[in-house]
Amino acid sequence: MRPEILFPLSAPVTSLKGVGPRFGKLFEKLGIEKAVDLLWHRPTGIIDRRFQPKIAEAPDGMIATLTVTVEAHQKPSNPRQPYRIRCHDETGVMFLVFFRVQGDYLEKLLPVGTLRIVSGKVEHYNDVVQITHPDHIFAAEAGETMRLIEPVYGLTAGLGLRIVQRAVEAALSRAPVLPEWLDPAYCAREKFPTWREAIATVHAPESADDLSPMTLARQRLAFDELLANQLALSLMREHVKRIAGRVITAPGALRRKVIQSLPFSLTLSQSAAIEEILADMAKPARMMRLLQGDVGSGKTVVALAAMLDVVESGAQAALMAPTELLARQHYKTLSNLAANAGVEVALLTGREKGRARTAILERLASGDIGIVVGTHALFSEDVIYQDLALAVIDEQHRFGVEQRMALAEKGRGVDILVMTATPIPRTLMLTAYGDLDSSRLTEKPAGRQPIATRTLPAERVADVIAAVKRALESGAKIYWICPLVDESELIDLKAATERFEELQKIFGPRVGLVHGKMKGPERDAAMEQFAGSGIDLLVATTVVEVGVDVPEATVMVIEHAERFGLAQLHQLRGRIGRSDKPSACLLLYTSPLSATAKSRLSILRDTDDGFRIAEEDLRLRGAGEVLGTRQSGMPELRLADLAVHGELLATARDDAQLVLTRDPELATPRGQALRTLLYLFGRDEAVRYIRSG
Ligand code: ADP
Ligand code: MG
């Protein structure tokens, strides 16, 4: 049970003073739903108001804090004119300027003859000193309560700095003193402040240095976060280990039939991966294996081989994909391949409804269906398997650990195989999965041609269209990707739709459109026509990002490439270069490019080595580039930065393991405090897996 001491922090952000439901939605955009999320919303900068000049010395363009006497209110005769308030000190005169003033609040705030402290950006306007809409106005006596150095936070349209600051302050005032969960010796050696002190310090930076990830306060919080993460993963793993696994072996007749029917032979690393997986399944312990392979490295057949052995042994296997689109595509591929061994594959997603769904559920319960492919619908409560023995999870990083567990609990000692297309740097791998066995597909299937990648400024779109025309004439299939960025989904969608219409005007009905807001069947129809015939040029938002497989596609245009994360661009590009024909990728960017965007694009131009790209991605994101983290679906770390806190991660992992060896039930006082830590970081599920005495 969530400890009561955390209730004030786990309350929704809208319960804080000054944050109504209207702001709730906006905070959600920043990933802030609960009060505690505000604590994790670190300042990105500071505003320094310590500069306190006299009026005559206040330079244009500077943030300054001035002490002035209010002299006169100059009310506008018409409301479109500014409301000006004349003030002075012993060196000169200045004006405070306000627009759209309603009521008499200014007369109350700034009565004539009083001494006031005002802070804001100084402007020199026709030789007159003025501040438009000062950030702060205080009576001189109350001036001490003004913060001379203010934290600056990431904002979103409609959510101003003051509101975020106040919300953070309100959340901070709710932050209780919590029992210490760190090892006392470690805490002392590192000179870490307490959690309460650390969180307060992080939100009260006094200089740019205080924003560094290496301050003691920040390191402490980063360590807390990593420890919660490692502890949760270890608990999960211990739990999995305690559930007995089962031995799955089969002569492999079905598997061999399907492999022999393939139009290609397996790569060495595919064969090796299959061996490793079969060996795991044959052991009495449960399998927890990661199958890592770059896009197009051929993970699907590897998974199918394992699933066929499961079927042959008389049990069932399920493959879960992150999206409807991918589930359908896997279903098509797998059912075609499995048919060669006379094995039927079923599909179960949110879209199977009514009688069709009931029929599938019945056949899963009776064991009539051996292999099922689907989305998270696969572990809906009413789905019952006769004997689920293997769960394959594709593009796993989009699913939470909890969902993984839910699927595993649908059977007895279910073996788990996780497939991921993003090669994951070691540090990320540890935070995402803990210590997991892993198989890597290191070769591209034989005969693949490298992809020629070019970067072009957006102004040259006419040249790109000309190139597309030539490619279409020579029979190519082409993706045209438009970005979809949360912030302004509708505007982006409009961009994709407009691009589609424009291209359709030029190239006619062979142009198609898919985007996330489209209804499933409509989108499938377009994808099918692109994979088959009817559509040769597909305008798409990032719904095609993961896993979509149309080998005939050899050209990809990506608009606003600068807006995508590196890993995501790599994923997208992996949709082409899947056949023996040469492929080309054109990255269109809009200037000016930030330094990181520039390096992202040039890395992509220079290499298609997924592991190198993954390392670079981490490095660049560590430099403060967040775009890409969310989209890649990696566990979101808010306080730890793996690019600089790698050592803390290693310590956190060792610590978590030590704790669980010594105190597996988390029953000691420190153990109890660690439970609070898990709840603090929203790892409620993990607490369920604590062994009870
Ligand atoms: P991913 O690892 O991205 O999921 P897929 O499993 O979708 O890759 O495979 C990509 C494409 O490569 C598919 O069309 C598949 O049939 C093909 N493929 C898989 N293995 C080989 C191989 N050994 N040789 C040639 N083509 C292969
Ligand atoms: Mg795939």
Side-chain angles (χ1 to χ4, degrees):
M1 265 235 304
R2 177 166 272 274
E4 243 169 74
I5 195 171
L6 291 181
F7 285 178
L9 288 180
S10 46
V13 62
T14 46
S15 73
L16 292 165
K17 229 175 79 194
V19 186
R22 185 163 71 90
F23 289 126
K25 280 263 167 289
L26 298 174
F27 273 110
E28 241 171 70
K29 279 198 183 169
L30 296 173
I32 296 169
E33 288 172 17
K34 298 175 182 169
V36 68
D37 296 327
L38 281 163
L39 301 183
W40 309 151
H41 194 53
R42 287 182 289 108
T44 53
I46 55 171
I47 301 176
D48 190 341
R49 304 191 182 279
R50 281 175 300 183
F51 181 47
Q52 299 176 39
K54 294 290 171 200
I55 291 176
E57 300 153 357
D60 187 28
M62 284 276 282
I63 300 265
T65 301
L66 297 111
T67 304
V68 297
T69 303
V70 181
E71 198 175 305
H73 283 240
Q74 302 178 352
K75 291 185 201 167
S77 48
N78 111 33
R80 266 167 309 181
Q81 298 291 316
Y83 186 126
R84 289 155 50 94
I85 299 176
R86 189 181 154 102
C87 306
H88 67 261
D89 67 7
E90 63 273 25
T91 69
V93 168
M94 72 173 297
F95 288 87
L96 303 178
V97 181
F98 299 85
F99 292 92
R100 289 183 300 275
V101 175
Q102 285 177 4
D104 60 353
Y105 81 97
L106 286 178
E107 278 153 334
K108 293 199 175 121
L109 196 60
L110 294 152
V112 172
T114 55
L115 201 59
R116 286 289 182 262
I117 296 177
V118 297
S119 186
K121 189 162 163 196
V122 174
E123 297 158 333
H124 288 193
Y125 189 75
N126 293 339
D127 283 339
V128 179
V129 177
Q130 65 177 47
I131 295 180
T132 306
H133 288 275
D135 302 324
H136 298 282
I137 300 172
F138 283 97
E141 314 83 77
E144 265 140 47
T145 60
M146 190 177 89
R147 278 167 102 168
L148 286 178
I149 299 171
E150 280 180 63
V152 175
Y153 293 98
L155 305 172
T156 187
L159 201 58
L161 180 59
R162 286 300 296 146
I163 293 159
V164 175
Q165 283 175 343
R166 275 199 215 121
V168 170
E169 279 163 28
L172 276 173
S173 68
R174 282 189 184 188
V177 172
L178 295 173
E180 182 57 80
W181 48 72
L182 294 187
D183 173 55
Y186 175 65
C187 198
R189 195 175 66 235
E190 300 296 321
K191 302 198 169 58
F192 281 159
T194 66
W195 175 77
R196 182 70 188 72
E197 284 161 2
I199 202 81
T201 306
V202 158
H203 284 283
E206 303 212 324
S207 68
D209 287 348
D210 291 345
L211 301 168
S212 147
M214 299 320 276
T215 63
L216 285 177
R218 175 70 187 285
Q219 288 200 55
R220 148 100 214 201
L221 297 176
F223 187 78
D224 288 344
E225 181 172 45
L226 293 168
L227 184 59
N229 163 280
Q230 290 300 298
L231 198 57
L233 288 168
S234 300
L235 282 167
M236 217 77 84
R237 199 168 49 242
E238 294 289 316
H239 172 76
V240 166
K241 272 201 220 139
R242 280 200 305 280
I243 306 171
R246 57 195 288 191
V247 173
I248 298 281
T249 51
L254 299 177
R255 167 168 44 95
R256 270 190 295 277
K257 256 192 215 153
V258 168
I259 290 175
Q260 272 154 21
S261 72
L262 293 172
F264 47 77
S265 46
L266 296 180
T267 63
L268 286 178
S269 48
Q270 280 173 317
S271 305
I274 293 174
E275 301 264 308
E276 286 167 344
I277 293 165
L278 297 183
D280 274 2
M281 294 202 309
K283 285 185 209 152
R286 278 179 81 172
M287 170 168 78
M288 262 291 195
R289 181 171 283 276
L290 188 65
L291 176 59
Q292 265 186 292
D294 213 343
V295 270
S297 59
K299 294 182 290 293
T300 317
V301 269
V302 173
L304 179 61
M307 293 198 279
L308 288 167
D309 268 27
V310 170
V311 172
E312 195 174 334
S313 80
Q316 293 168 299
L319 186 149
M320 177 163 77
T323 65
E324 177 91 33
L325 189 69
L326 276 174
R328 282 178 193 274
Q329 188 185 296
H330 272 309
Y331 166 70
K332 228 170 87 185
T333 315
L334 293 179
S335 50
N336 283 339
L337 291 173
N340 291 315
V343 174
E344 193 196 343
V345 176
L347 176 68
L348 185 63
T349 72
R351 257 163 62 205
E352 274 62 50
K353 289 207 179 83
R355 247 189 297 164
R357 184 166 191 275
T358 316
I360 295 170
L361 294 193
E362 274 169 16
R363 297 182 61 213
L364 280 173
S366 68
D368 199 19
I369 294 174
I371 298 180
V372 62
V373 177
T375 55
H376 51 271
L378 288 173
F379 60 79
S380 310
E381 220 161 312
D382 60 342
V383 180
I384 293 162
Y385 295 84
Q386 202 255 337
D387 185 17
L388 183 67
L390 172 66
V392 181
I393 304 178
D394 188 20
E395 313 294 355
Q396 133 75 25
H397 54 269
R398 305 215 147 192
F399 296 108
V401 176
E402 288 79 19
Q403 283 164 302
R404 219 189 298 164
M405 296 302 294
L407 189 54
E409 278 166 9
K410 287 281 181 193
R412 272 189 303 128
V414 179
D415 281 331
I416 296 185
L417 179 67
V418 161
M419 305 199 285
T420 167
T422 327
I424 308 168
R426 170 87 192 130
T427 42
L428 272 185
M429 171 129 160
L430 207 53
T431 46
Y433 310 103
D435 285 318
L436 213 65
D437 297 318
S438 114
S439 302
R440 279 184 169 194
L441 300 185
T442 48
E443 316 140 83
K444 292 241 163 164
R448 294 276 168 87
Q449 301 265 350
I451 303 168
T453 300
R454 288 183 61 195
T455 53
L456 288 168
E459 294 78 55
R460 292 191 46 197
V461 68
D463 295 348
V464 173
I465 291 177
V468 162
K469 182 158 191 276
R470 288 192 298 275
L472 282 173
E473 278 161 6
S474 70
K477 292 224 177 237
I478 302 173
Y479 287 108
W480 189 298
I481 310 291
C482 301
L484 198 58
V485 178
D486 283 347
E487 200 62 37
S488 53
E489 209 165 304
L490 281 178
I491 297 172
D492 290 328
L493 199 53
K494 186 158 159 269
T497 313
E498 277 172 8
R499 181 61 77 200
F500 163 70
E501 281 162 4
E502 182 191 346
L503 291 171
Q504 204 178 34
K505 259 189 218 127
I506 305 173
F507 300 116
R510 64 202 299 199
V511 184
L513 174 68
V514 290
H515 57 74
K517 287 261 180 295
M518 238 160 137
K519 291 229 166 28
E522 238 181 300
R523 205 163 65 193
D524 293 350
M527 285 308 299
E528 256 156 48
Q529 281 186 49
F530 184 58
S533 65
I535 293 178
D536 301 315
L537 173 54
L538 187 68
V539 179
T541 58
T542 44
V543 287
V544 298
E545 180 193 343
V546 269
V548 172
D549 189 20
V550 180
E552 297 75 29
T554 52
V555 179
M556 176 173 285
V557 178
I558 304 182
E559 285 198 71
H560 284 292
E562 78 281 357
R563 290 204 206 163
F564 292 95
L566 193 47
Q568 198 186 14
L569 284 169
H570 179 60
Q571 283 272 341
L572 279 168
R573 183 175 60 177
R575 303 299 116 218
I576 57 171
R578 296 188 149 226
S579 70
D580 53 6
K581 292 202 204 79
S583 291
C585 178
L586 301 175
L587 303 173
L588 287 178
Y589 61 85
T590 305
S591 309
L593 279 184
S594 71
T596 28
K598 206 175 270 172
S599 28
R600 272 203 303 260
L601 297 184
S602 69
I603 290 162
L604 217 64
R605 206 176 44 212
D606 296 346
T607 183
D608 73 340
D609 174 347
F611 282 93
R612 175 157 170 232
I613 288 174
E615 298 286 351
E616 294 287 345
D617 192 26
L618 179 62
R619 195 177 57 76
L620 290 178
R621 270 190 283 140
E625 193 72 18
V626 199
L627 192 75
T629 322
R630 285 249 172 98
Q631 274 130 343
S632 74
M634 275 297 164
E636 214 183 325
L637 295 172
R638 298 193 165 202
L639 300 156
D641 176 347
L642 292 176
V644 295
H645 295 140
E647 257 176 66
L648 292 179
L649 173 62
T651 313
R653 183 198 48 185
D654 295 346
D655 197 21
Q657 277 164 8
L658 195 64
V659 165
L660 289 182
T661 315
R662 290 195 184 150
D663 181 17
E665 293 161 26
L666 296 185
T668 62
R670 184 177 176 212
Q672 294 291 341
L674 283 163
R675 288 173 187 243
T676 305
L677 172 72
L678 288 169
Y679 281 115
L680 184 65
F681 280 96
R683 298 296 190 141
D684 301 29
E685 280 296 307
V687 181
R688 264 187 37 210
Y689 296 119
I690 297 172
R691 195 190 314 183
S692 47

